[in-house]
Amino acid sequence: MKKKLVSCLISFTLLSSLGTPLLAKAQENTEDIKGSLVIAGGGVGTSNHDVYEKFLSLAGGKEKAKVGIIPAASTMLQSSKKFKEDLVKYGANSDSIKILPVSDHDFSDTQRDESTWKNQVNDKKLSRTIKGLTAVWFVGGDQTKIVDSLRQNNGSDSEALKAIWDIYRKGAVIGGTSAGAAIMSDVMITGGDSLGALQESIGNKANKHVKENQRSQKEYEPLSIQKGLGFFQQGIIDQHMDERARLGRLAVAAYTSERDKEKNFAYGVDEDTAMVVNNKDQKIEVVGRSGVAVLDMSKAQLVSKQKARSGLENIKVSYLSPGDKINYHLKSFEFPKDKVETKGFEYYSFNALPATGVFTPYGRLKAYLSYSLIDNESMKSADSYVYDSQGSGYEIAFQKDRDTNGYWRYTDGQKDDYSIVNVRMDITPKTVKFQPDRKTSLTYKKPTFSSSESPAYDSIKGNLLIAGGALGSSNSSVYNKFINLAGGKRAKIGIVPAASTKFDSSNQFKADLIKYGVKAENIEILPISNHDFKGTPENESNWKTNINSDKLAQKVKDLTGIWFVGGDQTLITGSLRNENGSDSKVLQAIWHMYKNGAVLGGTSAGAAIMSNTMLAGGDSYGALSYGFTNTYDDMTQQEGGPAYLEKGLGFFQYGLVDQHFDNKARLGRLIATAYEKGNKNQLSYGIDEDTAMVVNNKEKQIEVVGRGGITLVDLAKVQANDKFPSDYKNILISCITPGDKVNLTTKEIVINPAKTSTRKNEYYSEKLGPNTGLFSPHGVLRKFLAYDLIDNAQSKEIKSYAFNQNKGFELTFRKSTESNGYWAYTDGQKDDYSIVKVALDIKPIKVAIK
């Protein structure tokens, strides 16, 4: 059984008045603490070596570490055993790792009754065992179970807890994940979500009847707190921050509960990430794969914008990434020297849409603030919303202040890594109302693009590896798959740099191939481009003449693999086709090698060129609202607006391909394009970042490889309103993940056999409100469908919205008779879902916000 991802509301609910009694400090004298803390936000993958190695290092090193694992939060011993296995995998001595008998309840996966362990927390033998440790780790589950297990009925510390404090003061490291992170601060958040915290915990008294009705339907959960164990004395800790969108609840908890708002930050730790607290240096370092949200509530104020409903204003939001440090005593930040400021040097310039739901590009907190605000010179402010099914909620306004800044660098290959400092956040009560839009859209334009079909080759012996962008150098499964398809040790690979304006990505990919075992002399960056590259003495725009070089064409024919780097897909097609649109000799040579067994691969732009109709611009809202355009404006068109199509290279002959699918929320633009220009008997494919679709032409099958998923769009049964564009019913959506396969001709989906069906075995049973933006949990499409619909017994349908000003779309995702979900753990104890045939209806709406 899966680990429950929502904390039970079993502690007392935070009073809605501002006179809430402050919780007593767990330990007052902490100045002499020599130990450290590793506070992980949950979902720590077994492969997250940075977190594991940091924990073991602080525990005295792999050979000397003596670790005690406290299983109390969980209902099973499985997670404790798994953590022990992981520590051993990273070099710790198995005999030096003990699962401590600390629990107030029985475990469901054992024969014995562990509820008797409650009587052992004052046992001298257990205390002596703890005092011999160099580290303690709290596994995830329910944080109240940890506290109840380690405290006496009168609230005093047990002997076991005193022993933990003793070794912590003397230099041991205390760590924990999820619930094991929540217990670290004095004020321990035990339940609630962002909307529930805002609706019921900051003096809001309106609509009492409505709120009680909503609470019974479990649309939102009010904030609740309890006294934590207090190992971290410098502010409140929250966890699962980004995935469960808890920024609002952390802000409310910090505002209403923390007496030292002027002195302390509040911290929200993302999944697969840890904040490492060095008490001696009074610093925190961010370690792992995501980040830590930091709230400065020192100047926050309660504000009433609607009668009897209140909000909060002047909250400062910062976001720290791996390698960044926080001086919690000085309330200052430190960034690695290779990070560059964005202020005054913004890379992007586009009008970002408000974050309104699962069709929002960069629709999670860090990505949205990074791309849509901090590194975007066109934007001074950006908005999001959170509300219930009745429309009662809040507008969240983010804006640049004088002290706002961003810091950027590449990480793990060529992934963007941002840090964000001092974005102002105001949370204002609003009521959002939706009505059907009955007026014909005069702005929607059908595509005039017409592409003659590329010749179909039934006898293609080669394969495709189509990556969705942001491919990490550490993504061994994708790199090894490409190399194996290219012949393994005999691989001869050519890199086409044309999509980029610099050689960085081509050089990086070459270096990665060498790291994975390809000989350097068997890799060549091919002289293919129709434009000059920055930072080189040569004018590469002269390479345009190379595309009809017999010598280069012959060199290409001798290769076993071609890789197209990312950038602008129109530069690839423009570099490989003649002025009259015909195939150059080099492009013909690429087709020759592909037909005869070579692999063609590409990422981002290098993925977009694979299908015959190439999606080159636009976003979901723009494509649904305005349709298609014949003009192309580079960055602006790539980031938003109506869809722009060109003729691709046609290597993939079984439907449309789109990329950056999760991060840029491109489902709407893929649907619009597939309806207007696709073959409705074929699927369309949206590939997530750091993920690849591997196409086996011989078997006529695709397989998912990498770290994300692929969204499948099936329009075979779609119903559309010819009088009103973008009014669709019965679109079928599937989401598949690594190990899943699809037959390209029959459209049959074959799920990884390690997964179990969720149908009639749903783990959750909750009535949920719509997904509305940055304060809504599970903001990425696949996660939203998995947790809120497919694995939720109460949900028959769920809604999200996409709107700008007074126009937009209501998205209704429904369980169909064919719907099913499949679940397994992956990379430790992360939930991995596949979703089959969820029905989607899209309805144009009018929007009123008051």
Side-chain angles (χ1 to χ4, degrees):
M1 182 59 68
K2 289 164 284 184
K3 182 175 69 177
K4 190 172 177 69
L5 296 180
V6 180
S7 298
C8 295
L9 190 67
I10 58 177
S11 58
F12 62 88
T13 302
L14 185 68
L15 300 178
S16 60
S17 69
L18 296 181
T20 305
L22 291 165
L23 298 173
K25 291 272 186 180
Q27 298 277 339
E28 289 290 352
N29 300 316
T30 60
E31 294 81 2
D32 59 340
I33 293 175
K34 298 177 181 178
S36 302
L37 300 172
V38 176
I39 306 174
V44 178
T46 301
S47 63
N48 193 331
H49 58 85
D50 289 345
V51 171
Y52 280 96
E53 290 182 353
K54 176 64 77 170
F55 179 70
L56 286 174
S57 174
L58 293 170
K62 298 174 183 178
E63 296 180 358
K64 296 181 179 180
K66 296 180 180 180
V67 183
I69 301 171
I70 293 183
S74 184
T75 57
M76 297 186 292
L77 277 180
Q78 178 186 8
S79 54
S80 297
K81 293 176 180 177
K82 185 67 174 66
F83 186 71
K84 179 175 180 177
E85 290 174 8
D86 290 343
L87 292 178
V88 172
K89 173 186 171 184
Y90 280 97
N93 187 332
S94 178
D95 293 337
S96 298
I97 306 169
K98 302 180 185 300
I99 297 175
L100 301 175
V102 177
S103 176
D104 67 346
H105 59 279
D106 189 24
F107 293 99
S108 62
D109 57 345
T110 66
Q111 296 297 318
R112 63 180 299 174
D113 181 5
E114 289 83 7
S115 64
T116 60
W117 285 357
K118 175 66 176 177
N119 300 324
Q120 298 187 42
V121 292
N122 290 309
D123 185 84
K124 292 181 178 180
K125 183 179 178 181
L126 176 59
S127 295
R128 285 196 300 269
T129 298
I130 293 172
K131 289 181 178 181
L133 300 174
T134 62
V136 171
W137 183 268
F138 296 89
V139 300
D142 181 347
Q143 48 266 50
T144 63
K145 293 181 184 297
I146 299 175
V147 175
D148 291 346
S149 297
L150 283 170
R151 284 222 172 96
Q152 312 275 30
N153 292 333
N154 63 3
S156 63
D157 292 356
S158 66
E159 294 301 316
L161 182 54
K162 290 177 182 177
I164 294 172
W165 267 101
D166 182 64
I167 63 171
Y168 177 42
R169 290 184 183 280
K170 292 177 179 178
V173 57
I174 309 297
T177 184
S178 188
I183 55 101
M184 294 289 182
S185 50
D186 278 313
V187 176
M188 180 177 74
I189 301 175
T190 59
D193 53 39
S194 287
L195 180 58
L198 289 164
Q199 291 281 47
E200 300 200 7
S201 298
I202 51 172
N204 296 319
K205 301 176 182 178
N207 302 320
K208 179 71 173 178
H209 173 73
V210 173
K211 289 200 296 182
E212 289 297 330
N213 181 51
Q214 289 164 355
R215 189 185 308 171
S216 67
Q217 295 178 13
K218 297 185 180 178
E219 275 203 21
Y220 57 77
E221 183 184 9
L223 174 69
S224 58
I225 63 170
Q226 185 175 311
K227 181 180 178 182
L229 298 185
F231 299 121
F232 181 70
Q233 292 280 303
Q234 287 75 38
I236 298 177
I237 301 289
D238 207 348
Q239 16 78 44
H240 297 283
M241 176 56 55
D242 198 43
E243 175 61 32
R244 301 190 200 175
R246 287 174 166 171
L247 190 70
R249 94 166 185 180
L250 178 59
V252 172
Y255 184 82
T256 57
S257 307
E258 181 57 61
R259 65 185 178 191
D260 296 325
K261 289 191 289 287
E262 294 186 5
K263 177 182 176 183
N264 294 327
F265 287 142
Y267 303 85
V269 190
D270 287 351
E271 294 183 354
D272 219 5
T273 307
M275 51 182 276
V276 179
V277 182
N278 185 317
N279 287 296
K280 292 170 67 177
D281 294 343
Q282 297 186 325
K283 288 185 178 180
I284 297 167
E285 181 182 6
V286 181
V287 174
R289 290 187 174 140
S290 189
V292 175
V294 182
L295 293 184
D296 184 347
M297 305 295 295
S298 59
K299 296 181 181 178
Q301 296 180 348
L302 193 70
V303 59
S304 296
K305 295 293 184 181
Q306 289 188 1
K307 185 177 181 181
R309 296 186 67 214
S310 301
L312 292 171
E313 66 179 9
N314 205 21
I315 302 165
K316 287 296 181 75
V317 178
S318 298
Y319 200 102
L320 283 295
S321 297
D324 298 343
K325 294 183 179 180
I326 306 163
N327 187 317
Y328 56 75
H329 179 65
L330 299 176
K331 296 181 75 173
S332 62
F333 306 114
E334 299 175 16
F335 303 102
K337 293 181 180 179
D338 60 342
K339 279 192 173 178
V340 296
E341 293 187 34
T342 62
K343 192 171 186 177
F345 304 95
E346 291 85 357
Y347 180 78
Y348 294 94
S349 181
F350 66 94
N351 292 321
L353 294 172
T356 58
V358 294
F359 271 19
T360 301
Y362 314 113
R364 300 314 306 150
L365 178 67
K366 178 183 178 182
Y368 187 73
L369 292 183
S370 298
Y371 296 105
S372 297
L373 183 64
I374 289 297
D375 204 14
N376 189 339
E377 67 177 358
S378 297
M379 301 293 291
K380 304 300 180 186
S381 63
D383 299 332
S384 185
Y385 299 88
V386 61
Y387 45 83
D388 59 27
S389 60
Q390 306 302 312
S392 175
Y394 299 83
E395 177 185 73
I396 303 102
F398 299 95
Q399 68 180 47
K400 294 175 180 175
D401 272 353
R402 290 183 178 180
D403 56 350
T404 302
N405 207 342
Y407 299 84
W408 170 92
R409 67 176 174 185
Y410 279 133
T411 185
D412 190 14
Q414 288 196 307
K415 295 183 179 182
D416 291 318
D417 177 32
Y418 282 99
S419 302
I420 299 162
V421 175
N422 293 328
V423 171
R424 173 171 170 151
M425 178 173 71
D426 298 331
I427 304 172
T428 307
K430 295 285 184 181
T431 301
V432 184
K433 296 295 182 183
F434 303 113
Q435 291 182 325
D437 192 342
R438 303 297 185 188
K439 295 182 180 179
T440 301
S441 174
L442 300 177
T443 58
Y444 185 93
K445 295 181 180 179
K446 286 186 170 290
T448 58
F449 164 79
S450 178
S451 173
S452 58
E453 291 294 322
S454 293
Y457 296 100
D458 293 330
S459 60
I460 294 176
K461 298 177 182 178
N463 301 292
L464 299 172
L465 189 146
I466 309 173
L471 179 62
S473 296
S474 63
N475 195 331
S476 58
S477 59
V478 171
Y479 278 95
N480 287 330
K481 190 72 173 182
F482 179 72
I483 292 168
N484 290 336
L485 291 172
K489 294 181 179 180
R490 297 172 297 172
K492 295 181 179 180
I493 297 170
I495 301 171
V496 177
S500 185
T501 57
K502 297 187 292 185
F503 277 115
D504 291 1
S505 52
S506 298
N507 289 330
Q508 179 67 58
F509 189 73
K510 180 176 180 178
D512 290 340
L513 291 177
I514 294 170
K515 182 180 77 171
Y516 284 101
V518 181
K519 295 179 180 179
E521 59 267 27
N522 289 348
I523 309 168
E524 182 173 351
I525 298 174
L526 301 173
I528 298 172
S529 177
N530 64 354
H531 59 279
D532 191 24
F533 286 84
K534 298 176 182 178
T536 65
E538 184 176 358
N539 184 356
E540 288 83 7
S541 62
N542 295 327
W543 286 357
K544 179 66 176 177
T545 59
N546 292 341
I547 62 174
N548 287 305
S549 163
D550 290 328
K551 182 178 179 180
L552 182 57
Q554 185 57 52
K555 179 181 289 187
V556 168
K557 287 181 181 180
D558 292 337
L559 299 173
T560 61
I562 290 280
W563 184 265
F564 298 91
V565 300
D568 183 340
Q569 48 264 51
T570 65
L571 296 177
I572 301 177
T573 55
S575 297
L576 283 171
R577 286 209 173 95
N578 296 313
E579 296 298 326
N580 63 3
S582 62
D583 291 358
S584 66
K585 289 183 179 180
V586 169
L587 182 52
Q588 292 173 27
I590 293 173
W591 269 104
H592 174 85
M593 59 177 284
Y594 175 43
K595 287 188 290 179
N596 285 280
V599 59
L600 306 182
T603 184
S604 187
I609 53 107
M610 293 291 181
S611 49
N612 191 58
T613 296
M614 180 174 76
L615 288 83
D619 65 358
S620 288
Y621 181 82
L624 292 171
S625 298
Y626 311 116
F628 298 81
T629 180
N630 294 323
T631 61
Y632 182 65
D633 186 17
D634 191 22
M635 180 192 296
T636 300
Q637 195 63 21
Q638 285 189 40
E639 297 300 330
Y644 174 72
L645 308 177
E646 279 195 10
K647 179 177 171 59
L649 299 184
F651 301 125
F652 180 66
Q653 303 188 347
Y654 300 95
L656 297 173
V657 171
D658 208 348
Q659 17 78 44
H660 295 284
F661 208 70
D662 50 351
N663 203 29
K664 298 195 179 184
R666 285 173 165 170
L667 178 62
R669 103 168 176 178
L670 183 59
I671 289 169
T673 305
Y675 182 79
E676 298 287 0
K677 301 301 297 183
N679 180 341
K680 294 180 180 59
N681 293 318
Q682 294 179 327
L683 297 173
S684 295
Y685 304 83
I687 309 171
D688 289 350
E689 293 184 350
D690 217 7
T691 308
M693 181 171 87
V694 180
V695 181
N696 185 319
N697 284 297
K698 183 179 179 180
E699 300 293 334
K700 293 182 170 52
Q701 179 179 267
I702 69 160
E703 178 183 4
V704 188
V705 176
R707 291 175 174 150
I710 296 175
T711 301
L712 311 174
V713 176
D714 189 344
L715 298 184
K717 299 179 181 179
V718 71
Q719 301 171 32
N721 185 344
D722 292 334
K723 295 181 179 180
F724 206 124
S726 302
D727 188 345
Y728 300 112
K729 291 183 179 179
N730 213 35
I731 301 165
L732 291 182
I733 305 295
S734 301
C735 300
I736 56 177
T737 58
D740 298 338
K741 299 177 181 180
V742 179
N743 186 295
L744 291 163
T745 54
T746 66
K747 301 192 291 188
E748 179 187 4
I749 300 171
V750 180
I751 301 298
N752 185 335
K755 294 180 180 176
T756 58
S757 172
T758 62
R759 190 167 188 172
K760 296 183 179 179
N761 188 36
E762 291 87 355
Y763 183 73
Y764 300 100
S765 183
E766 299 174 343
K767 179 72 174 178
L768 300 170
N771 184 287
T772 61
L774 302 183
F775 278 16
S776 292
H778 316 304
V780 175
L781 176 69
R782 177 164 52 91
K783 301 282 187 74
F784 173 54
L785 295 181
Y787 293 112
D788 287 11
L789 179 65
I790 208 71
D791 203 15
N792 188 344
Q794 276 201 50
S795 288
K796 305 301 180 186
E797 65 178 37
I798 53 176
K799 294 184 184 293
S800 183
Y801 295 89
F803 59 86
N804 186 24
Q805 297 179 343
N806 63 344
K807 292 277 190 177
F809 300 92
E810 180 183 73
L811 317 174
T812 303
F813 297 90
R814 299 180 282 107
K815 288 177 179 172
S816 70
T817 56
E818 301 172 284
S819 296
N820 206 344
Y822 300 86
W823 171 90
Y825 277 134
T826 183
D827 190 14
Q829 289 194 308
K830 295 183 179 182
D831 292 311
D832 177 29
Y833 283 98
S834 299
I835 299 156
V836 174
K837 296 185 178 179
V838 166
L840 167 62
D841 302 334
I842 300 177
K843 181 70 65 177
I845 54 172
K846 294 187 294 184
V847 184
I849 302 173
K850 297 181 180 179

